Amino acid sequence: LAGLRNPENPQSGLYPFFNGRIMFPVANEQNEIIAFSGRLLDPEAKTSKYINSRESPVFLKKKTFFGFDKTKQPVIKARRAIVCEGQIDLITCYEEGIQNVIAPMGTAFTEEHATVLKRFASEVALCFDADNAGLNAADKTFAVLAPQNFEVLCVEMPQGEDPDSMIKSGRLEEFKQLLADAKPFHEFKIDRMSKNLDFTSARDRVQFANEMAESIA
């Protein structure tokens, strides 16, 4: 909960590590608190939106999902995990009955994450932002999940929306329909790329073929 102001000088005193943040306790699968995550309250502050406790023998970001102590049983029942990008998205979904949700701890999806999840689910639906960063995140997550034989689906989110914003604006049923209509990863990628490429152009056709070949391989 605290850090040294100057790590090279212990006499410099301590500062509150999560100052000005809303706190989320992070539990392991046995519901034991192993870390904290803090989300910035001041949108104008020039610092990271989320920070987590420092890693320790019991807390490794690369194998920890936020909220999994609550959502593990729904994931097992559905054999499907919906991957959200943040804690608020997960909490809002869970409160509205969409409970087979998981969220990595502010880090990219790792092989360790996939290994943990493989015990409980065979299908993963990626619910990422509808921008280039979201598409890149979907690409990287697919590359981790596919070798472990997950069926990977992608949810077609509206531009500028996330699960939390859709649900809180009264569009819960619309969001549920998007989840139901999630597309297989390559179908989703073809649709996304076709919006940005001109298939009458040889250069764009080559770019499309190269990108698709890499993920298919």
Side-chain angles (χ1 to χ4, degrees):
L1 295 176
L4 286 169
R5 295 186 186 281
N6 180 356
E8 296 180 1
N9 176 19
Q11 303 303 318
S12 63
L14 302 174
Y15 71 95
F17 192 59
F18 293 101
N19 190 40
R21 296 173 183 272
I22 184 169
M23 299 294 293
F24 300 96
V26 179
N28 62 17
E29 292 175 34
Q30 290 73 45
N31 199 27
E32 299 165 329
I33 304 301
I34 58 172
F36 292 95
S37 182
R39 186 187 189 280
L40 199 62
L41 288 171
D42 180 4
E44 304 300 320
K46 306 297 183 186
T47 186
S48 301
K49 184 176 180 180
Y50 280 96
I51 60 171
N52 302 310
S53 298
R54 294 178 179 86
E55 293 195 323
S56 71
V58 297
F59 172 56
L60 295 173
K61 288 190 294 183
K62 66 182 181 180
K63 59 194 306 184
T64 302
F65 292 115
F66 173 74
F68 201 38
D69 54 307
K70 304 290 191 298
T71 68
K72 182 174 72 172
Q73 290 304 320
V75 166
I76 292 171
K77 184 177 180 180
R79 296 299 297 168
R80 178 199 234 200
I82 300 165
V83 180
C84 296
E85 291 192 89
Q87 288 97 323
I88 299 288
D89 288 330
L90 182 142
I91 291 169
T92 302
C93 286
Y94 190 89
E95 288 181 338
E96 294 297 335
I98 304 167
Q99 299 189 335
N100 57 320
V101 283
I102 59 174
M105 293 296 303
T107 186
F109 213 93
T110 66
E111 290 182 14
E112 289 84 357
H113 282 132
T115 300
V116 170
L117 192 57
K118 189 66 182 173
R119 293 153 47 203
F120 309 110
S122 57
E123 183 177 282
V124 176
L126 307 179
C127 196
F128 294 159
D129 291 346
D131 54 19
N132 286 334
L135 184 56
N136 289 337
D139 272 333
K140 292 176 181 176
T141 306
F142 173 80
V144 172
L145 291 169
Q148 298 210 33
N149 295 321
F150 283 97
E151 181 175 354
V152 182
L153 308 174
C154 292
V155 180
E156 188 80 54
M157 294 296 294
Q159 197 73 33
E161 298 278 14
D162 57 31
D164 177 64
S165 65
M166 287 194 72
I167 291 170
K168 287 182 177 171
S169 64
R171 298 157 66 195
L172 173 62
E173 293 307 316
E174 181 183 345
F175 177 60
K176 286 182 177 179
Q177 191 60 51
L178 292 177
L179 293 176
D181 294 340
K183 297 177 180 178
F185 173 79
H186 285 110
E187 184 180 337
F188 171 84
K189 185 166 182 175
I190 289 169
D191 287 350
R192 278 291 181 87
M193 292 184 68
S194 65
K195 294 175 183 176
N196 300 317
L197 296 175
D198 175 11
F199 288 139
T200 64
S201 159
R203 177 186 294 178
D204 281 10
R205 290 202 303 273
V206 169
Q207 179 185 339
F208 174 80
N210 286 340
E211 289 198 28
M212 291 303 300
E214 184 177 345
S215 63
I216 288 171

